[in-house]
Amino acid sequence: MSHILIIDDDTELTDLLKEVLDFEGFEVSTACDGEMGLAMMNDTVDLILLDVMMPKLNGFDTLKKLRESWASPVLMLTAKGEEIDRVIGLELGADDYLPKPFSDRELIARIRAILRRSQLQKEVMKEKPADKGDCLTYQDLRLYPGKLEAYCNDTLLELTSTEFALLHHFLLNVGQVITKEVLSLDVLGKRLAAFDRAVDMHVSNLRKKLPEWPDGKPRIKTLRGRGYLFVEGE
């Protein structure tokens, strides 16, 4: 049973969400503000539903503090039409966003997609011929899907679960162009919608955390109109 932590000061909405998620078979905990949510975080939490507008500690500040210690997936709940909220949330390490108001069906679909991606990451490596046990290596990079840990030159990379999934996908397709549509489906678990910048923001965040190749070339190249390419190292 997956454990979901809801952090939202709208108690009426929180009670409704808890009822819906309980019915769907999830274990649910609730917090009415960011400070309480941070205090309730532990290793059993599989996913966090995080509202943006909250007293004491807003969603963005809460997300910053979460990412200092936790890589658990975060689904941001944003105001309808506030694209800036979505962009900032993704830049800070959110895995996805859902504008209010939303339907129960859409929420459950997003949650299941994120959880499915996180759970399947541990199994994917066993099916790939390039695997070496529970470790995928390429040049100076080492990925351990079972632990969701990635190293570059033996230095641990502080990646979110989505950034880890992206890097894993890229390393299984080094030197190949990957479209945004494919990344959205395979990594985010959803079809790419018009004006959806989630893939772009996650790739941008990952690119910032990866050092350049020794020759100064970036590891991830953007091909306008085509997608992304993980550049082969020499």
Side-chain angles (χ1 to χ4, degrees):
M1 179 185 297
S2 297
H3 182 191
I4 298 177
L5 173 62
I6 304 174
I7 307 177
D8 194 327
D9 66 315
D10 186 339
T11 56
E12 184 176 348
L13 174 61
T14 298
D15 290 342
L16 178 60
L17 292 180
K18 186 178 188 309
E19 182 178 343
V20 170
L21 295 174
D22 282 340
F23 181 79
E24 292 291 331
F26 295 106
E27 177 185 350
V28 183
S29 299
T30 62
C32 61
D33 60 61
E35 292 180 354
M36 182 183 295
L38 290 170
M40 294 175 64
M41 273 300 297
N42 58 61
D43 292 329
T44 71
V45 176
D46 298 298
L47 183 143
I48 302 149
L49 295 182
L50 179 62
D51 185 37
V52 172
M53 300 301 293
M54 294 186 296
K56 295 186 179 180
L57 203 63
N58 66 37
F60 298 136
D61 290 335
T62 301
L63 181 56
K64 287 180 184 178
K65 291 185 176 296
L66 274 171
R67 285 295 175 244
E68 291 175 1
S69 305
W70 307 94
S72 305
V74 173
L75 176 57
M76 296 287 290
L77 305 179
T78 67
K80 185 177 181 179
E82 292 297 331
E83 181 180 358
I84 187 62
D85 286 351
R86 305 171 197 174
V87 172
I88 293 175
L90 293 170
E91 287 179 336
L92 293 176
D95 294 82
D96 202 354
Y97 57 82
L98 189 59
K100 296 180 178 180
F102 48 80
S103 68
D104 296 347
R105 184 176 180 181
E106 174 72 2
L107 174 66
I108 297 300
R110 294 290 186 93
I111 288 174
R112 293 198 186 282
I114 294 172
L115 290 175
R116 183 168 58 249
R117 182 196 69 225
S118 298
Q119 293 164 358
L120 289 180
Q121 282 175 8
K122 299 178 181 180
E123 302 174 8
V124 170
M125 294 297 291
K126 299 177 182 178
E127 304 172 0
K128 300 295 180 179
D131 295 352
K132 295 181 179 179
D134 191 33
C135 177
L136 173 64
T137 62
Y138 181 74
Q139 300 283 12
D140 55 359
L141 291 167
R142 286 183 291 117
L143 271 67
Y144 296 90
K147 299 184 291 184
L148 293 183
E149 291 183 356
Y151 294 83
C152 183
N153 288 317
D154 296 322
T155 299
L156 178 65
L157 300 174
E158 299 295 337
L159 304 180
T160 66
S161 59
T162 297
E163 290 161 4
F164 182 93
L166 271 175
L167 180 57
H168 179 255
H169 200 290
F170 279 129
L171 293 192
L172 292 175
N173 299 276
V174 173
Q176 300 179 41
V177 178
I178 309 176
T179 66
K180 294 181 183 180
E181 289 80 6
V182 168
L183 288 176
S184 187
L185 274 175
D186 291 354
V187 177
L188 302 185
K190 63 177 183 178
R191 293 187 179 279
L192 185 67
F195 309 111
D196 189 341
R197 299 183 59 192
V199 170
D200 299 320
M201 296 308 305
H202 288 306
V203 172
S204 176
N205 291 341
L206 175 60
R207 184 186 281 122
K208 294 173 184 176
K209 296 179 180 181
L210 291 173
E212 296 178 337
W213 286 119
D215 61 5
K217 293 181 180 178
R219 295 184 187 242
I220 302 174
K221 186 175 182 180
T222 301
L223 302 176
R224 188 178 297 276
R226 297 178 61 193
Y228 293 100
L229 170 74
F230 195 92
V231 180
E232 296 181 81
E234 297 181 356

